[in-house]
Amino acid sequence: MSDANLQVAAATAPKTQKQRGLWSDAFHDLRKRPTVIISSFVILVILLIAFFPGLFNFHDQNVKYCDLGLTRGAPSGQHWFGFDEFGCDYYAQAIYGAGPSIQLAVIVVTVTIIIGGFMGVLAGFYGGWVDAIFSRVVDVFNSIPFLLGAVMLLTMFRDVQVPLIGGRLQAIIPAAITLIIFGWTSTMRLIRASVIESRGLDYVQAARSLGASDMRIMFRHILPNAMAPVVSLIPLSIASMISVEATLSFIGLGVRAPEITWGMMISSGAPYFTSGFPRLLIVPSAFLIATVLSFVLLGDAIRDALDPKLR
Amino acid sequence: MTEVKVKSEILPDADPMATLLRVEDLRVEFHTRDGIAKAVNGASFSVDNGETLAIVGESGSGKSVTSQAIMGILESPPAKVAGGRVLFRNVDLLTLSKERARRVRGNHVAMVFQDALSALNPVWTVGFQLSELFRQHRGMSKKDAMKRSLELLDLVKIPAAAQRLREYPHQFSGGMRQRVMIAMALALDPDLLIADEPTTALDVTVQAQIMRLLKEIQLERNMGLILITHDLGVVADVADKISVMYAGRIVEQAPVLDTFATPAHPYTKALLKSIPRLDTKGQRLEIIKGLPPVLTDLPPGCNFAPRCAYAQEICTRELPLLATVAADRAAACHFSSEVIRDV
Amino acid sequence: MSSPNGDVALEVKGLKKHFPIRQGVVFKTTVGQVKAVDGVDLTLRKGETLGVVGESGCGKSTLAKLLVGLETATEGSISVRGEDVTKLGRAGMRRLRRNVQMVFQDPYTSLNPRMTVGDIIGEPFEIHTDVVPKTGRRKAVQDLLDVVGLNPDHINRYPHQFSGGQRQRIGIARALALKPEILICDEPVSALDVSIQAQVINLLEELQDELGLSYVFIAHDLSVVRHIADRVAVMYLGKIAELGTEDEIYEAPMHPYTQALLSAVPVPDPTLRGLRDEIVLEGDVPSPANPPSGCRFRTRCWKATEKCAAEEPLLQIRAGAPHPNACHYAAPRDVVHAVE
């Protein structure tokens, strides 16, 4: 903003009676926007589908029930999306396919933020040799090409069973670990940069001059400020993790069978696109695109809203 | 697209006998989240060749917005020129086509900003940026453009100019960068130079150098100079006449000696009494109570009334218009004659 | 302005702060030093205001940070109440912090935007839990708000709901929480509108009288410093060029740099136009990484001779003047008033 705009903005600072922090200010801003409302609604629906697929099981379709005799059957009243090549109900597949993808994305994003955040804050705050070591570690990880590394790792440990966890998690964990290994570096870098920027701020200096301990400064002053760019990136990260997982599933390396994901559905549905059964590709793609788009739009909106216009 | 080689092609209707710049009832609005801010709410003033007008005000006064409106560089949205005329030799700059307006900038009216670092492009050398102006606007060859650029750097007294043409903006000190910006502003021989807080970010010894340079150049070229500032010391040193702005309006207009000796508006008077002076000690600083105005929520009547020592009931009802109080002097106050009389 | 009673609140001797210049990508080597503060001696008496002036690169901001403990000295000593704080461990630093606090320049970045004003002013009590018991903290914060002229009911508001001048008051309230004896004011009014500066300056003066505070007032605005300071130190490239009472410095400056500095400051009085003694300095300030030999000011000084390059003038009493300066050829000159 030009100087003049800033001055006008400062001169219009609301002398409101309500006490509103920066976060609630942003929230109030976002509440009004149509893209935010629609994306949030879609995301809510998708999350419900992911965590409570049973709610959407209107006609009692059983995911496991597959009748080869119904292979590639057409949609009907009972079976909205028809059947896939194994005769399994496609609607059920799509619904149950949401779960693994989303859960994987959420786990990966959460863990990368924790790891990246931890290392980023330490590296940014202390600088010096701490930063030097952590940054070199990041460099090493970064020098491995993402997709190549992920594919390699997943191929090598394709059939390895992780002890002590069962079922759904077993199917997700290997892919999750791989994505975390190759994903934490960008979060670390982002947080580190944010911390370095916050470190020099006057109010951090003020806290130091009051005698605040390092811990206090990190948690009370720097972290809340440094987290802002990260928070706005969360939806975008989730979106990209979902996409990456779809890619990996497409080449058979993502979430493992017997779980279903949209990527797998796309993978098996693609060959039929031109041979008369386009819906086998269209259905999972539509779900995937709708989900990713909603997260992206929401992430963009949050990022814009958190951008401090008035300081 | 033909580039203009001769300046007189840009504004053929300009009347060389008319006042250099006359602003009439300028109004600029900003559309913000909290409503419409009347950043400039009816400003009228004029500058002629060889004259220095100082526009004085604090944040929210509208002084920067005014200068940007004259230059035609307001960001709209959120800004919008809501009325008034900006007459450059009788040609209204606000009604020009975008293309014409672009050519007027630099050729007739130029601006120097507060922060040279953001006004200069960091990835090009200073020589390149200067010579670009000549190549673009005057169709000069590279060699000639560089030669002119060298002359310009000499004009603004940058030592070792030839060497410095090859350097980048970040290699210059703050004061030197400001000189480069002045050089760029003067490149196309503008008739009017607007300097928006040109020395606020500089050290005081550098500030003195830059202000001296501006005055010298103004004298040499008989340029009109509009100086936007909040520093009354600088104003006392260089201005011929002053317009004091408050909450988007001009509240006082007078020759500089009159304004300082016997201010006609309570705001001017209070301002003068609240600033410490270098040559007096142990003075009592008078404060102006209250807060600067909120542009989206201006009180009815006089904008300064809530903070004014002279305010009476009429001031909250009726907006005082800028009216003549003496020869060449105008003030927007119901009680200006009292203000002038009081010591 | 109050009269100092002779007690020394703060004493600085031979203070130096050098910042190493490092180069290299993986392994960094030190290729030089930025001598931000290079040998400063100062005394602050109880109840007085010592103004420190100078232009960019003179080291006054670094000096401020050293006094408050935000930077550690490379050399030299800082004594508060007779105790050398440069030699202190953690416990000692905590004691220092109780006694010396800072008021920051920018009201827009010196307050954490995500904390309420009550939290901001109350933070010192959370860090130094023995100053005020938990039950009394809210009242203590409200009292502080009152002392600086703000409404105690606004304790739950956020910084962005206040104007610049009010935010600066909040910063002052925060600095006063621990009841320090000494306030280091680093350009406390430079970022404020002119009409608000007087409010904050007056507030600082009142507080000094009421609470018996001592100030180190760092600023580049010489008019403001004249108004509030009892004594003034003029800094150039990390050293003090001249040190005297406000009267001595402004009415009869001895050091050429002080004279040049003062002559450059405009006075809001058009009748003085062209009547003052004008000194124009050419050239730029040398880099603090590579200061000139001998007297640092000689590259821009009209009086410079070979002696100035060979022998560094020390800060001492010269030429019969009552206050010390660092120039071989010091002589008084009136640059503030009109010259006959």
Side-chain angles (χ1 to χ4, degrees), chain C residues 290-301:
Chain C
N290 199 4
S293 64
C295 171
R296 294 174 178 214
F297 184 60
R298 65 176 173 81
T299 54
R300 306 165 81 198
C301 182

Side-chain angles (χ1 to χ4, degrees), chain B residues 58-59 203 205 209 239 281, chain C residues 55-56 193 195 247 273 281:
Chain B
E58 302 175 289
S59 24
D203 282 327
T205 47
Q209 292 173 2
K281 49 185 172 173
Chain C
E55 300 180 294
S56 12
D193 269 335
S195 62
D247 200 45
R273 197 186 287 190
L281 285 184

Side-chain angles (χ1 to χ4, degrees), chain C residues 251-270:
Chain C
E251 299 291 325
M254 305 279 296
H255 193 287
Y257 177 61
T258 315
Q259 293 163 354
L261 197 60
L262 287 171
S263 83
V265 177
V267 176
D269 186 349

Side-chain angles (χ1 to χ4, degrees), chain C residues 101-216:
Chain C
Q101 278 297 313
M102 185 138 134
V103 177
F104 290 81
Q105 172 176 357
D106 189 347
Y108 294 93
T109 59
S110 61
L111 305 177
N112 188 334
R114 295 167 208 275
M115 287 168 72
T116 62
V117 155
D119 288 335
I120 292 173
I121 300 180
E123 193 173 14
F125 301 135
E126 287 180 32
I127 299 173
H128 299 259
T129 47
D130 47 331
V131 174
V132 176
K134 230 171 170 172
T135 45
R137 282 181 197 164
R138 191 184 165 83
K139 174 104 189 355
V141 170
Q142 285 176 317
D143 286 341
L144 282 166
L145 279 170
D146 190 42
V147 159
V148 298
L150 292 171
N151 187 341
D153 291 333
H154 292 173
I155 191 173
N156 282 326
R157 292 198 178 178
Y158 286 87
H160 70 270
Q161 294 172 278
F162 292 88
S163 70
Q166 290 172 322
R167 289 189 215 201
Q168 203 63 331
R169 290 169 190 262
I170 296 171
I172 294 174
R174 172 178 59 191
L176 291 175
L178 298 176
K179 298 206 193 320
E181 289 180 2
I182 301 169
L183 277 191
I184 312 291
C185 304
D186 187 5
E187 307 263 17
V189 295
S190 317
L192 301 175
D193 269 335
V194 172
S195 62
I196 307 293
Q197 287 188 14
Q199 289 182 12
V200 177
I201 295 174
N202 282 0
L203 173 68
L204 285 171
E205 288 179 310
E206 277 163 29
L207 290 171
Q208 182 173 48
D209 283 338
E210 273 174 48
L211 305 173
L213 298 166
S214 319
Y215 293 154
V216 175

